[in-house]
Amino acid sequence: MQVLQTKKEILKMDKKKYAVPALEKGLLICELLADSDQPLGITEINAICGLPKSSVFSIMTTLENMDYVEKLPDDKYKLTLKINNLGTKILTKLDVRQVSRPIMEELAEHLRFTVHLAILEKDKSLYVEKVNGPGFVQFSTAVGQSWPIYISAGGKVLAAYLPSEQLSEILKPCTFEAYTPNTIRSKEALMENLHTVRENGYAFEDEEGEIGIRCIAAPVYDKAGTVIASLGVTALRNELPVHKLDEIGRFVRSKALTISAKLGYVPHEAEPTKQKK
């Protein structure tokens, strides 16, 4: 109760200039529920926080509508696992770079290609890690650089495993600007390409973002089976010939699955075509 009392006093402190009181109260209630050994009702929350019952009711209704709390038959509330899931996703995204780095270095050394790790950032593929290959040619890509999802191999991987509704929303404003003559120019062509990505378990970019450059990427899964990143290699066209595409694609996919396993993912028989529901 000492912790709860301390948190109650937070509401009595002067609000910072840009604080949002309603949000502050909602988060405080979430913390109270997390600290409590038992579910709490509106009257109990009112007594602990000193908030008006009407405010507590509105906040709890909002939290319930957003699935952050569950209302029990006795009209008391408990937290759901949604907050825990948010934290897990954040930790996974932070861990994926650290887990991936040694494997990326092995991949770069073995294939002598540049290796990228990318995540989905709104409607783009964003590089979050890079390992240069040992070859003479070095690419000017950098961590923080992003590409439209329809252009890069990594972007195609991230798009291929999105729920259909989310992908549709991302593609609504897409104009499919041509970066090269090989760039995908329509939603229909992209959807056909993404179907192939899911069948093969990897994506191929054939001079679609820059003439003379080819890329292959494969999905990285978290422990829940959700694609959270793409592992990709970038090379000059003559270093990545079409007749070696499947061999290298499978190899990159195997390394992506190694990373996934370190993140807790257990592959299923239908792994190459697995999509989020």
Side-chain angles (χ1 to χ4, degrees), residues 76-277:
K76 293 189 177 183
Y77 296 85
K78 69 174 185 178
L79 287 175
T80 67
L81 290 176
K82 187 171 183 179
I83 290 178
N84 178 73
N85 293 339
L86 292 176
T88 299
K89 289 180 180 179
I90 293 171
L91 288 175
T92 300
K93 288 181 179 179
L94 293 175
D95 289 345
V96 70
R97 291 180 62 192
Q98 181 179 358
V99 171
S100 300
R101 181 76 191 191
I103 297 169
M104 293 174 69
E105 291 173 350
E106 292 176 9
L107 190 58
E109 183 66 29
H110 181 82
L111 294 177
R112 304 187 69 79
F113 297 160
T114 296
V115 184
H116 296 102
L117 186 72
I119 63 171
L120 183 67
E121 181 69 15
K122 296 182 180 179
D123 61 344
K124 296 183 184 299
S125 168
L126 175 71
Y127 292 148
V128 294
E129 190 61 277
K130 174 187 177 181
V131 175
N132 284 318
F136 177 77
V137 176
Q138 300 294 315
F139 295 99
S140 59
T141 52
V143 171
Q145 183 176 351
S146 62
W147 292 90
I149 59 171
Y150 66 91
I151 289 179
S152 68
K156 293 176 186 177
V157 164
L158 295 169
Y161 297 88
L162 286 176
S164 56
E165 290 184 1
Q166 184 179 352
L167 180 58
S168 294
E169 285 298 314
I170 287 176
L171 294 179
K172 276 183 180 179
C174 184
T175 59
F176 291 95
E177 176 187 353
Y179 283 59
T180 75
N182 293 345
T183 302
I184 291 175
R185 296 303 309 278
S186 69
K187 179 179 177 180
E188 292 72 24
L190 176 63
M191 298 306 289
E192 183 177 348
N193 189 285
L194 298 185
H195 176 73
T196 302
V197 173
R198 291 190 292 270
E199 284 190 331
N200 295 336
Y202 62 83
F204 177 50
E205 174 199 338
D206 187 10
E207 302 182 83
E208 296 163 46
E210 186 176 350
I211 293 296
I213 306 299
R214 285 176 171 160
C215 306
I216 296 177
V220 175
Y221 300 88
D222 67 8
K223 63 181 180 181
T226 300
V227 174
I228 59 167
S230 66
L231 177 70
V233 296
T234 300
L236 296 176
R237 177 178 57 188
N238 64 322
E239 295 177 331
L240 188 51
V242 173
H243 71 271
K244 287 190 175 182
L245 169 61
D246 190 59
E247 175 189 346
I248 295 176
R250 289 175 180 272
F251 185 69
V252 173
R253 189 180 76 190
S254 71
K255 293 300 182 181
L257 285 174
T258 299
I259 296 172
S260 303
K262 290 180 179 294
L263 294 172
Y265 174 63
V266 179
H268 301 285
E269 185 177 350
E271 171 269 322
T273 57
K274 181 178 178 64
Q275 282 184 275
K276 291 190 289 182
K277 301 298 183 183

